[in-house]
Amino acid sequence: MDDPPTLRLGRFELQSRQRRLLQDGAPVAVGARAFDLLLALVERRDRVVAKSELLDVVWPGLVVEENNLQVQISSLRKLLGPQAIATIPGRGYRFTGALDSGATGSASAAVPGPGTATATSNVPSPPRTNLPRELQPLYGRDADLQALPSLIGEHRLVTVVGAGGIGKSRLAQAAAHALADHWRDGAWMVELAGLSDPGLVPNAVARALGITIAGGVAALDELVAGLAPRSALIVLDNCEHLLDAAAALVQAILQAAPNVALLTTSQEPLRLPAEQQYRLVPLAVPTEAAPSAARECGAVALFEARVRAVEPRFALTDESLAVVVDICRRLDGLPLAIELAAARVATLGLRPVRDKLDARFKLLTGGSRATLRRHQTLRAALEWSHQLLSDAEKAVFRRLGVFAGGFTMELAQAVAGDAELDEWAVLDHLSALVDKSLVVAEAGHAPRYRLLESARAFALEQLAAVETADTLKQHAHAMCRFLERVDGANIDCELRSDQYAALVLPELDNLRVARAWAVGETGDPRVAAALAAYAGSLIDYAVECADWLIPLQQHGEDGAMDANVTARFWRAIAASNMAGRVPRAAQVDAACRAKALYQAVGQPRRVVSSLLQLSRLRSRPQDSADALAALGEARGLIRPDWPAEFHVQLLRRDSALARGAGRFAEARTLSEECVRVSASTGDWRLEVIARANLADLLWQLGPLEEAACVARKLAEELRTRPAADVDSANVFANLIGILCEMGRIDEASAAAREALPTMRRARTPFVEQWVYLFWCRGQIDVGALLLGACDAERARFGTPHQTNEQRLIDQARASLKARMDPPTYASALAVGAAVPEGKLFELISDALAQAERNDS
């Protein structure tokens, strides 16, 4: 039996013959396309309806993009509830709302299809509009195409704000196209980019909408009078160079034409009370090149489509995907830049386009002749935006170009200011640059700012013509002052290590830029030495900083540096993160120097820090008296009101010395107390170190199952709560060794595969564990090579093995020597001793891969 012409959907009533939708008995405003779509889904509610079928039913005889369908689906979900229509990925949509029990069977026999002319259908004619009938597909803008129409429905004035070339015009056009039938008099696009005279803005709008301007009164008054009786959506495109005139026109329309809605696009907002801003961000760029994730990102989809438009044979393979991802990342997902790059692929090839992006302003030219002139080259787009700035804004903009990887407001004020631009003026101008979409403000508790890479390249060009050398110098000095302040607070334990990392790690690229200037021909060796010295704590997070430090040891000898910098330099040389890079005797000497210098400048907390270093460095049995003396001196200086980290370090040293003296029960009690106090500080890194030390102690004492439990649990937590790479590598090294000694070789191998990238970043291979693991796996050739590398490293720096590692090495060495003939064994040790550090990780990685192949 056929469905009746009226269907009940909860509180709603769908009257198909009258083409009406009622809610609680009252008519609901719903556009013709949305009504047709709802009817089509209800009629076919027993199955999934393909997108192509819905497009043919709702837009018969027309070629339209899928974005229109998504917009209408979004509006229906907003009206009926999100559960009424289900999206079936890769297939289409299905109506899942509940119908009243009387509404069963098929409705199609009783209801004329959408677009069918019948005596009762009353289908409205297409709205008047100057929008094109067909639009280019929009890639990566599905979320925008759902959110923007919703805003337009709720607010009479919406401004799409974003950088030049980000796709504001296309998005506004697509939204207006999808919503055109919501207004009796349609949707109209008014292009303002070609206007230079603000007085002609009303005339341009009137001409687009067919309103006559007779000239008897002001053009704005005549326009408003003509719009007063209309119901329409007006899109004012590219308002940024005519902001005052556009704002005056919009305000007048809002007051006098109550049924007119306005959608504007601009690089900065109009700043009207009724304005709802919609800031458009670049297209999503893959965080990894994995095909399953990368192909779904809007930037990659746009690039592929634009290349295929000029080279239909182009196919995005897994091999080429990584290159495309790299291009999209370097272009920050900016649609204009991506389109211009894609247009060059047919001529140059994919890899040459990627390799030439450093010369992007020469490469990225030749856009479509149908686009605005300023969108035909990347340089023209940026020049358009730059010309709209005041002289002071231009100065701040070009100086911000020296920052790499973003910056804080404080650093911007330190670098971009001058005698005429104080910190408050820089603040105002930076805010203006954010509004004008030339600087991106990133959300967060402590706001950071950045220039997109293309904008930064343009800023550096402008800087080169005026003041590059002075700005780079100012930047380097600002970064040095920043690092000195933050590092000092870290040494004095006024900052938790996680707080230190949160402040410093985002500035790593800036520190690299500062150091590059300082060691350059026009740089300053004193700044280079200070940056290296203050980067001591940063070595745990960025091991390259050790390479900054080691070559400058002569500067610490010649007295050329400031006393505070010299003291910090020697303390950095003595730090635990330099073990294996500097001989132990040199570290002991450095700690003594740092202690004496800190005493001379009156820095008691840093004196204690140097004494704790001395105690650690003298922890060998033959030096135990000196270690205890240094620890006792440190204990006497620590005051009760000092931060808890000093007490954690005392517990750590007390436990280590008790362990070295064979007082294992005491060592365990102290180690467990260190874990408790470390956790109470809220400093995750302190806790990681304390728990790793406990696992190592338990491993030595013999309860291997308990040791494995502590190490395994910590390793699991590190997957979601990362720590410094050097600390994570230590945790996994313990776990590998413990599991190997328990005979759980497969589990140890899995932990090793997970640990290798972290160890590579930390440049800390923990070779003893790898020797033992490969020996356990029967890969004796690799084990012998790694044994040679291990012996060479220990001989080079005079660093003894830790107790557990010594046991592993002794057992593996005896077995390898027994299983290999003497010449082969000696040759393997010699070859391993000559393997450079970087090649060592390659050797381990290849051996793991071979093990996996053997296992499979």
Side-chain angles (χ1 to χ4, degrees), residues 299 302-304 306-307 310 323-324 326-328 330-331 334-354 356-357 360 363-367 376-378:
L302 175 63
F303 186 92
E304 182 181 18
R306 292 297 180 263
V307 174
V310 294
V323 181
V324 173
D326 191 29
I327 292 172
C328 293
R330 293 179 62 186
L331 296 176
L334 190 69
L336 171 63
I338 289 172
E339 291 187 353
L340 294 173
R344 289 293 195 185
V345 171
T347 304
L348 299 176
L350 190 60
R351 293 182 183 275
V353 167
R354 190 267 310 274
K356 293 178 184 295
L357 283 181
R360 64 185 64 197
L363 173 70
L364 303 184
T365 63
Q376 292 178 10
T377 72
L378 185 60

mmCIF file of all heavy atoms in Angstrom, residues 299 302-304 306-307 310 323-324 326-328 330-331 334-354 356-357 360 363-367 376-378:
data_model
loop_
_atom_site.group_PDB
_atom_site.id
_atom_site.type_symbol
_atom_site.label_atom_id
_atom_site.label_comp_id
_atom_site.label_asym_id
_atom_site.label_seq_id
_atom_site.Cartn_x
_atom_site.Cartn_y
_atom_site.Cartn_z
ATOM 1 N N ALA A 299 45.335 19.633 0.797
ATOM 2 C CA ALA A 299 46.465 20.173 0.043
ATOM 3 C C ALA A 299 46.930 19.182 -1.014
ATOM 4 O O ALA A 299 47.204 19.554 -2.166
ATOM 5 C CB ALA A 299 47.604 20.522 1.001
ATOM 6 N N LEU A 302 44.266 18.811 -3.833
ATOM 7 C CA LEU A 302 44.299 19.958 -4.745
ATOM 8 C C LEU A 302 45.495 19.872 -5.674
ATOM 9 O O LEU A 302 45.373 20.097 -6.889
ATOM 10 C CB LEU A 302 44.350 21.258 -3.935
ATOM 11 C CG LEU A 302 44.516 22.543 -4.761
ATOM 12 C CD1 LEU A 302 43.330 22.749 -5.694
ATOM 13 C CD2 LEU A 302 44.697 23.754 -3.844
ATOM 14 N N PHE A 303 46.659 19.546 -5.132
ATOM 15 C CA PHE A 303 47.861 19.456 -5.957
ATOM 16 C C PHE A 303 47.680 18.415 -7.058
ATOM 17 O O PHE A 303 47.967 18.676 -8.234
ATOM 18 C CB PHE A 303 49.062 19.094 -5.073
ATOM 19 C CG PHE A 303 50.377 19.120 -5.796
ATOM 20 C CD1 PHE A 303 51.145 20.269 -5.814
ATOM 21 C CD2 PHE A 303 50.847 18.003 -6.471
ATOM 22 C CE1 PHE A 303 52.358 20.304 -6.487
ATOM 23 C CE2 PHE A 303 52.054 18.023 -7.148
ATOM 24 C CZ PHE A 303 52.818 19.181 -7.156
ATOM 25 N N GLU A 304 47.173 17.244 -6.684
ATOM 26 C CA GLU A 304 46.987 16.181 -7.673
ATOM 27 C C GLU A 304 46.001 16.604 -8.755
ATOM 28 O O GLU A 304 46.243 16.386 -9.954
ATOM 29 C CB GLU A 304 46.504 14.912 -6.983
ATOM 30 C CG GLU A 304 46.319 13.737 -7.939
ATOM 31 C CD GLU A 304 45.826 12.486 -7.234
ATOM 32 O OE1 GLU A 304 45.312 12.593 -6.109
ATOM 33 O OE2 GLU A 304 45.964 11.399 -7.823
ATOM 34 N N ARG A 306 45.223 19.642 -9.780
ATOM 35 C CA ARG A 306 45.757 20.697 -10.653
ATOM 36 C C ARG A 306 46.837 20.163 -11.594
ATOM 37 O O ARG A 306 46.965 20.623 -12.724
ATOM 38 C CB ARG A 306 46.302 21.843 -9.801
ATOM 39 C CG ARG A 306 45.207 22.597 -9.050
ATOM 40 C CD ARG A 306 44.231 23.274 -10.030
ATOM 41 N NE ARG A 306 43.186 23.989 -9.319
ATOM 42 C CZ ARG A 306 41.982 23.509 -9.066
ATOM 43 N NH1 ARG A 306 41.661 22.285 -9.503
ATOM 44 N NH2 ARG A 306 41.096 24.220 -8.418
ATOM 45 N N VAL A 307 47.634 19.191 -11.134
ATOM 46 C CA VAL A 307 48.620 18.590 -12.039
ATOM 47 C C VAL A 307 47.903 17.823 -13.144
ATOM 48 O O VAL A 307 48.260 17.925 -14.330
ATOM 49 C CB VAL A 307 49.578 17.665 -11.262
ATOM 50 C CG1 VAL A 307 50.510 16.939 -12.247
ATOM 51 C CG2 VAL A 307 50.405 18.458 -10.265
ATOM 52 N N VAL A 310 46.649 19.711 -16.227
ATOM 53 C CA VAL A 310 47.582 20.056 -17.311
ATOM 54 C C VAL A 310 48.332 18.831 -17.829
ATOM 55 O O VAL A 310 48.926 18.888 -18.905
ATOM 56 C CB VAL A 310 48.594 21.125 -16.846
ATOM 57 C CG1 VAL A 310 47.880 22.429 -16.557
ATOM 58 C CG2 VAL A 310 49.359 20.667 -15.613
ATOM 59 N N VAL A 323 57.098 13.245 -2.075
ATOM 60 C CA VAL A 323 57.545 14.504 -2.682
ATOM 61 C C VAL A 323 56.408 15.522 -2.670
ATOM 62 O O VAL A 323 56.603 16.702 -2.345
ATOM 63 C CB VAL A 323 58.045 14.263 -4.125
ATOM 64 C CG1 VAL A 323 58.524 15.567 -4.745
ATOM 65 C CG2 VAL A 323 59.150 13.226 -4.133
ATOM 66 N N VAL A 324 55.200 15.077 -3.007
ATOM 67 C CA VAL A 324 54.046 15.978 -3.011
ATOM 68 C C VAL A 324 53.773 16.496 -1.599
ATOM 69 O O VAL A 324 53.500 17.688 -1.405
ATOM 70 C CB VAL A 324 52.803 15.258 -3.570
ATOM 71 C CG1 VAL A 324 51.559 16.125 -3.412
ATOM 72 C CG2 VAL A 324 53.018 14.911 -5.037
ATOM 73 N N ASP A 326 55.911 16.881 0.769
ATOM 74 C CA ASP A 326 56.963 17.853 1.103
ATOM 75 C C ASP A 326 56.676 19.203 0.448
ATOM 76 O O ASP A 326 56.840 20.265 1.070
ATOM 77 C CB ASP A 326 58.317 17.306 0.639
ATOM 78 C CG ASP A 326 59.479 18.124 1.186
ATOM 79 O OD1 ASP A 326 59.337 18.702 2.281
ATOM 80 O OD2 ASP A 326 60.525 18.197 0.522
ATOM 81 N N ILE A 327 56.243 19.193 -0.815
ATOM 82 C CA ILE A 327 55.899 20.445 -1.499
ATOM 83 C C ILE A 327 54.773 21.151 -0.761
ATOM 84 O O ILE A 327 54.839 22.365 -0.499
ATOM 85 C CB ILE A 327 55.498 20.164 -2.963
ATOM 86 C CG1 ILE A 327 56.715 19.694 -3.770
ATOM 87 C CG2 ILE A 327 54.874 21.395 -3.607
ATOM 88 C CD1 ILE A 327 56.368 19.217 -5.164
ATOM 89 N N CYS A 328 53.727 20.428 -0.425
ATOM 90 C CA CYS A 328 52.571 21.037 0.245
ATOM 91 C C CYS A 328 52.946 21.587 1.613
ATOM 92 O O CYS A 328 52.465 22.649 2.023
ATOM 93 C CB CYS A 328 51.442 20.015 0.380
ATOM 94 S SG CYS A 328 50.704 19.525 -1.207
ATOM 95 N N ARG A 330 55.953 22.693 2.522
ATOM 96 C CA ARG A 330 56.799 23.888 2.350
ATOM 97 C C ARG A 330 55.994 25.075 1.843
ATOM 98 O O ARG A 330 56.410 26.219 2.014
ATOM 99 C CB ARG A 330 57.963 23.564 1.416
ATOM 100 C CG ARG A 330 58.937 22.562 2.024
ATOM 101 C CD ARG A 330 60.078 22.232 1.085
ATOM 102 N NE ARG A 330 60.876 23.419 0.777
ATOM 103 C CZ ARG A 330 61.861 23.422 -0.109
ATOM 104 N NH1 ARG A 330 62.159 22.311 -0.778
ATOM 105 N NH2 ARG A 330 62.546 24.523 -0.344
ATOM 106 N N LEU A 331 54.856 24.803 1.240
ATOM 107 C CA LEU A 331 53.975 25.879 0.797
ATOM 108 C C LEU A 331 52.857 26.140 1.798
ATOM 109 O O LEU A 331 51.921 26.885 1.504
ATOM 110 C CB LEU A 331 53.386 25.533 -0.576
ATOM 111 C CG LEU A 331 54.415 25.428 -1.707
ATOM 112 C CD1 LEU A 331 53.754 24.994 -3.005
ATOM 113 C CD2 LEU A 331 55.154 26.753 -1.905
ATOM 114 N N LEU A 334 48.925 26.573 1.304
ATOM 115 C CA LEU A 334 48.312 27.759 0.698
ATOM 116 C C LEU A 334 47.827 27.399 -0.713
ATOM 117 O O LEU A 334 48.632 27.071 -1.581
ATOM 118 C CB LEU A 334 49.322 28.908 0.631
ATOM 119 C CG LEU A 334 48.781 30.271 0.249
ATOM 120 C CD1 LEU A 334 47.898 30.823 1.366
ATOM 121 C CD2 LEU A 334 49.911 31.248 -0.045
ATOM 122 N N PRO A 335 46.516 27.451 -0.971
ATOM 123 C CA PRO A 335 45.998 26.976 -2.254
ATOM 124 C C PRO A 335 46.628 27.647 -3.475
ATOM 125 O O PRO A 335 46.947 26.971 -4.455
ATOM 126 C CB PRO A 335 44.496 27.281 -2.154
ATOM 127 C CG PRO A 335 44.203 27.202 -0.695
ATOM 128 C CD PRO A 335 45.423 27.772 -0.022
ATOM 129 N N LEU A 336 46.791 28.975 -3.434
ATOM 130 C CA LEU A 336 47.376 29.654 -4.584
ATOM 131 C C LEU A 336 48.765 29.112 -4.882
ATOM 132 O O LEU A 336 49.096 28.797 -6.039
ATOM 133 C CB LEU A 336 47.435 31.161 -4.327
ATOM 134 C CG LEU A 336 48.219 31.971 -5.372
ATOM 135 C CD1 LEU A 336 47.568 31.869 -6.743
ATOM 136 C CD2 LEU A 336 48.350 33.425 -4.939
ATOM 137 N N ALA A 337 49.607 28.997 -3.856
ATOM 138 C CA ALA A 337 50.966 28.511 -4.064
ATOM 139 C C ALA A 337 50.960 27.069 -4.568
ATOM 140 O O ALA A 337 51.759 26.695 -5.438
ATOM 141 C CB ALA A 337 51.758 28.621 -2.761
ATOM 142 N N ILE A 338 50.052 26.243 -4.046
ATOM 143 C CA ILE A 338 49.969 24.849 -4.480
ATOM 144 C C ILE A 338 49.553 24.776 -5.946
ATOM 145 O O ILE A 338 50.111 23.997 -6.733
ATOM 146 C CB ILE A 338 48.982 24.078 -3.584
ATOM 147 C CG1 ILE A 338 49.590 23.896 -2.185
ATOM 148 C CG2 ILE A 338 48.625 22.722 -4.181
ATOM 149 C CD1 ILE A 338 48.632 23.329 -1.171
ATOM 150 N N GLU A 339 48.577 25.577 -6.328
ATOM 151 C CA GLU A 339 48.124 25.565 -7.729
ATOM 152 C C GLU A 339 49.247 26.014 -8.664
ATOM 153 O O GLU A 339 49.438 25.436 -9.742
ATOM 154 C CB GLU A 339 46.909 26.460 -7.875
ATOM 155 C CG GLU A 339 45.664 25.906 -7.185
ATOM 156 C CD GLU A 339 44.417 26.715 -7.486
ATOM 157 O OE1 GLU A 339 44.552 27.783 -8.116
ATOM 158 O OE2 GLU A 339 43.320 26.274 -7.123
ATOM 159 N N LEU A 340 49.987 27.048 -8.287
ATOM 160 C CA LEU A 340 51.071 27.533 -9.134
ATOM 161 C C LEU A 340 52.188 26.495 -9.228
ATOM 162 O O LEU A 340 52.792 26.321 -10.290
ATOM 163 C CB LEU A 340 51.602 28.858 -8.583
ATOM 164 C CG LEU A 340 50.624 30.043 -8.640
ATOM 165 C CD1 LEU A 340 51.197 31.248 -7.909
ATOM 166 C CD2 LEU A 340 50.295 30.405 -10.089
ATOM 167 N N ALA A 341 52.480 25.813 -8.120
ATOM 168 C CA ALA A 341 53.505 24.766 -8.152
ATOM 169 C C ALA A 341 53.054 23.604 -9.026
ATOM 170 O O ALA A 341 53.833 23.063 -9.815
ATOM 171 C CB ALA A 341 53.806 24.291 -6.729
ATOM 172 N N ALA A 342 51.795 23.211 -8.885
ATOM 173 C CA ALA A 342 51.279 22.095 -9.683
ATOM 174 C C ALA A 342 51.351 22.402 -11.176
ATOM 175 O O ALA A 342 51.619 21.510 -11.991
ATOM 176 C CB ALA A 342 49.846 21.793 -9.269
ATOM 177 N N ALA A 343 51.130 23.661 -11.543
ATOM 178 C CA ALA A 343 51.156 24.038 -12.951
ATOM 179 C C ALA A 343 52.539 23.878 -13.568
ATOM 180 O O ALA A 343 52.673 23.783 -14.793
ATOM 181 C CB ALA A 343 50.684 25.481 -13.109
ATOM 182 N N ARG A 344 53.585 23.849 -12.733
ATOM 183 C CA ARG A 344 54.958 23.712 -13.230
ATOM 184 C C ARG A 344 55.389 22.254 -13.399
ATOM 185 O O ARG A 344 56.422 21.986 -14.007
ATOM 186 C CB ARG A 344 55.922 24.396 -12.267
ATOM 187 C CG ARG A 344 55.840 25.923 -12.263
ATOM 188 C CD ARG A 344 56.311 26.484 -13.577
ATOM 189 N NE ARG A 344 56.577 27.908 -13.519
ATOM 190 C CZ ARG A 344 56.905 28.644 -14.561
ATOM 191 N NH1 ARG A 344 57.006 28.069 -15.754
ATOM 192 N NH2 ARG A 344 57.131 29.932 -14.434
ATOM 193 N N VAL A 345 54.625 21.319 -12.864
ATOM 194 C CA VAL A 345 55.061 19.928 -12.865
ATOM 195 C C VAL A 345 55.156 19.367 -14.273
ATOM 196 O O VAL A 345 56.091 18.634 -14.605
ATOM 197 C CB VAL A 345 54.122 19.073 -11.985
ATOM 198 C CG1 VAL A 345 54.418 17.578 -12.157
ATOM 199 C CG2 VAL A 345 54.263 19.465 -10.530
ATOM 200 N N ALA A 346 54.199 19.705 -15.108
ATOM 201 C CA ALA A 346 54.210 19.157 -16.477
ATOM 202 C C ALA A 346 55.459 19.569 -17.231
ATOM 203 O O ALA A 346 55.981 18.814 -18.059
ATOM 204 C CB ALA A 346 52.961 19.620 -17.224
ATOM 205 N N THR A 347 55.975 20.770 -16.941
ATOM 206 C CA THR A 347 57.155 21.276 -17.643
ATOM 207 C C THR A 347 58.450 20.816 -17.005
ATOM 208 O O THR A 347 59.384 20.388 -17.702
ATOM 209 C CB THR A 347 57.125 22.819 -17.658
ATOM 210 O OG1 THR A 347 55.901 23.257 -18.241
ATOM 211 C CG2 THR A 347 58.299 23.368 -18.454
ATOM 212 N N LEU A 348 58.513 20.883 -15.663
ATOM 213 C CA LEU A 348 59.770 20.631 -14.968
ATOM 214 C C LEU A 348 59.881 19.226 -14.393
ATOM 215 O O LEU A 348 60.986 18.705 -14.235
ATOM 216 C CB LEU A 348 59.938 21.646 -13.828
ATOM 217 C CG LEU A 348 60.000 23.119 -14.218
ATOM 218 C CD1 LEU A 348 60.075 23.988 -12.974
ATOM 219 C CD2 LEU A 348 61.206 23.372 -15.128
ATOM 220 N N GLY A 349 58.752 18.622 -14.026
ATOM 221 C CA GLY A 349 58.776 17.368 -13.297
ATOM 222 C C GLY A 349 58.573 17.619 -11.809
ATOM 223 O O GLY A 349 58.783 18.728 -11.304
ATOM 224 N N LEU A 350 58.178 16.579 -11.095
ATOM 225 C CA LEU A 350 57.783 16.723 -9.697
ATOM 226 C C LEU A 350 58.958 17.089 -8.796
ATOM 227 O O LEU A 350 58.902 18.060 -8.030
ATOM 228 C CB LEU A 350 57.138 15.413 -9.226
ATOM 229 C CG LEU A 350 56.435 15.446 -7.864
ATOM 230 C CD1 LEU A 350 55.311 16.474 -7.866
ATOM 231 C CD2 LEU A 350 55.882 14.057 -7.538
ATOM 232 N N ARG A 351 60.031 16.323 -8.854
ATOM 233 C CA ARG A 351 61.167 16.582 -7.968
ATOM 234 C C ARG A 351 61.842 17.925 -8.248
ATOM 235 O O ARG A 351 62.203 18.640 -7.304
ATOM 236 C CB ARG A 351 62.183 15.436 -8.042
ATOM 237 C CG ARG A 351 61.638 14.141 -7.471
ATOM 238 C CD ARG A 351 62.669 13.021 -7.494
ATOM 239 N NE ARG A 351 62.086 11.776 -7.008
ATOM 240 C CZ ARG A 351 62.005 11.439 -5.730
ATOM 241 N NH1 ARG A 351 62.479 12.263 -4.811
ATOM 242 N NH2 ARG A 351 61.450 10.289 -5.366
ATOM 243 N N PRO A 352 62.040 18.313 -9.515
ATOM 244 C CA PRO A 352 62.617 19.643 -9.750
ATOM 245 C C PRO A 352 61.765 20.778 -9.176
ATOM 246 O O PRO A 352 62.307 21.777 -8.700
ATOM 247 C CB PRO A 352 62.693 19.717 -11.277
ATOM 248 C CG PRO A 352 62.834 18.299 -11.712
ATOM 249 C CD PRO A 352 61.980 17.518 -10.767
ATOM 250 N N VAL A 353 60.441 20.635 -9.207
ATOM 251 C CA VAL A 353 59.597 21.660 -8.595
ATOM 252 C C VAL A 353 59.883 21.739 -7.104
ATOM 253 O O VAL A 353 60.042 22.822 -6.528
ATOM 254 C CB VAL A 353 58.105 21.368 -8.860
ATOM 255 C CG1 VAL A 353 57.213 22.229 -7.960
ATOM 256 C CG2 VAL A 353 57.768 21.627 -10.317
ATOM 257 N N ARG A 354 59.955 20.576 -6.454
ATOM 258 C CA ARG A 354 60.260 20.555 -5.016
ATOM 259 C C ARG A 354 61.628 21.178 -4.744
ATOM 260 O O ARG A 354 61.803 21.974 -3.817
ATOM 261 C CB ARG A 354 60.205 19.115 -4.522
ATOM 262 C CG ARG A 354 60.266 18.946 -2.992
ATOM 263 C CD ARG A 354 61.687 18.729 -2.461
ATOM 264 N NE ARG A 354 62.398 17.701 -3.151
ATOM 265 C CZ ARG A 354 62.334 16.395 -2.841
ATOM 266 N NH1 ARG A 354 61.562 15.981 -1.861
ATOM 267 N NH2 ARG A 354 63.065 15.525 -3.515
ATOM 268 N N LYS A 356 63.267 23.386 -6.375
ATOM 269 C CA LYS A 356 63.407 24.802 -6.718
ATOM 270 C C LYS A 356 62.538 25.719 -5.858
ATOM 271 O O LYS A 356 62.433 26.908 -6.137
ATOM 272 C CB LYS A 356 63.051 25.014 -8.205
ATOM 273 C CG LYS A 356 64.019 24.364 -9.177
ATOM 274 C CD LYS A 356 63.576 24.565 -10.618
ATOM 275 C CE LYS A 356 64.488 23.825 -11.581
ATOM 276 N NZ LYS A 356 65.860 24.354 -11.579
ATOM 277 N N LEU A 357 61.930 25.192 -4.804
ATOM 278 C CA LEU A 357 61.031 26.024 -4.005
ATOM 279 C C LEU A 357 61.747 27.126 -3.244
ATOM 280 O O LEU A 357 61.112 28.092 -2.816
ATOM 281 C CB LEU A 357 60.234 25.156 -3.022
ATOM 282 C CG LEU A 357 59.074 24.368 -3.633
ATOM 283 C CD1 LEU A 357 58.355 23.561 -2.565
ATOM 284 C CD2 LEU A 357 58.087 25.297 -4.337
ATOM 285 N N ARG A 360 61.004 30.345 -4.897
ATOM 286 C CA ARG A 360 59.572 30.196 -5.162
ATOM 287 C C ARG A 360 58.980 31.364 -5.921
ATOM 288 O O ARG A 360 58.024 31.197 -6.670
ATOM 289 C CB ARG A 360 58.828 29.967 -3.851
ATOM 290 C CG ARG A 360 58.863 31.111 -2.865
ATOM 291 C CD ARG A 360 58.195 30.705 -1.568
ATOM 292 N NE ARG A 360 58.940 29.620 -0.921
ATOM 293 C CZ ARG A 360 58.433 28.847 0.033
ATOM 294 N NH1 ARG A 360 57.199 29.036 0.446
ATOM 295 N NH2 ARG A 360 59.154 27.899 0.579
ATOM 296 N N LEU A 363 59.676 30.672 -9.463
ATOM 297 C CA LEU A 363 59.064 29.421 -9.919
ATOM 298 C C LEU A 363 57.550 29.532 -10.014
ATOM 299 O O LEU A 363 56.938 29.097 -10.997
ATOM 300 C CB LEU A 363 59.433 28.294 -8.946
ATOM 301 C CG LEU A 363 58.755 26.940 -9.176
ATOM 302 C CD1 LEU A 363 59.287 26.294 -10.450
ATOM 303 C CD2 LEU A 363 58.984 26.017 -7.973
ATOM 304 N N LEU A 364 56.924 30.136 -8.990
ATOM 305 C CA LEU A 364 55.466 30.091 -8.879
ATOM 306 C C LEU A 364 54.836 31.270 -9.592
ATOM 307 O O LEU A 364 54.404 32.257 -8.978
ATOM 308 C CB LEU A 364 55.060 30.035 -7.405
ATOM 309 C CG LEU A 364 55.671 28.856 -6.626
ATOM 310 C CD1 LEU A 364 55.150 28.814 -5.209
ATOM 311 C CD2 LEU A 364 55.404 27.534 -7.331
ATOM 312 N N THR A 365 54.810 31.171 -10.902
ATOM 313 C CA THR A 365 54.189 32.172 -11.771
ATOM 314 C C THR A 365 53.316 31.446 -12.774
ATOM 315 O O THR A 365 53.306 30.219 -12.851
ATOM 316 C CB THR A 365 55.250 33.000 -12.515
ATOM 317 O OG1 THR A 365 56.001 32.119 -13.369
ATOM 318 C CG2 THR A 365 56.211 33.679 -11.548
ATOM 319 N N GLY A 366 52.585 32.227 -13.554
ATOM 320 C CA GLY A 366 51.836 31.613 -14.650
ATOM 321 C C GLY A 366 50.512 31.035 -14.256
ATOM 322 O O GLY A 366 50.115 29.980 -14.745
ATOM 323 N N GLY A 367 49.801 31.710 -13.343
ATOM 324 C CA GLY A 367 48.468 31.255 -12.977
ATOM 325 C C GLY A 367 47.480 31.446 -14.115
ATOM 326 O O GLY A 367 47.781 32.036 -15.154
ATOM 327 N N GLN A 376 48.096 35.547 -10.347
ATOM 328 C CA GLN A 376 48.807 34.864 -11.416
ATOM 329 C C GLN A 376 50.262 34.585 -11.043
ATOM 330 O O GLN A 376 50.925 33.794 -11.688
ATOM 331 C CB GLN A 376 48.721 35.670 -12.712
ATOM 332 C CG GLN A 376 47.295 35.695 -13.273
ATOM 333 C CD GLN A 376 47.183 36.520 -14.532
ATOM 334 O OE1 GLN A 376 48.190 36.917 -15.099
ATOM 335 N NE2 GLN A 376 45.962 36.758 -14.982
ATOM 336 N N THR A 377 50.770 35.246 -10.002
ATOM 337 C CA THR A 377 52.078 34.917 -9.445
ATOM 338 C C THR A 377 51.990 35.037 -7.938
ATOM 339 O O THR A 377 51.213 35.837 -7.402
ATOM 340 C CB THR A 377 53.196 35.852 -9.954
ATOM 341 O OG1 THR A 377 53.048 37.136 -9.354
ATOM 342 C CG2 THR A 377 53.182 35.969 -11.464
ATOM 343 N N LEU A 378 52.808 34.255 -7.248
ATOM 344 C CA LEU A 378 52.825 34.328 -5.795
ATOM 345 C C LEU A 378 53.346 35.674 -5.326
ATOM 346 O O LEU A 378 52.855 36.248 -4.359
ATOM 347 C CB LEU A 378 53.699 33.192 -5.238
ATOM 348 C CG LEU A 378 53.738 33.055 -3.720
ATOM 349 C CD1 LEU A 378 52.346 32.801 -3.153
ATOM 350 C CD2 LEU A 378 54.690 31.927 -3.313
#
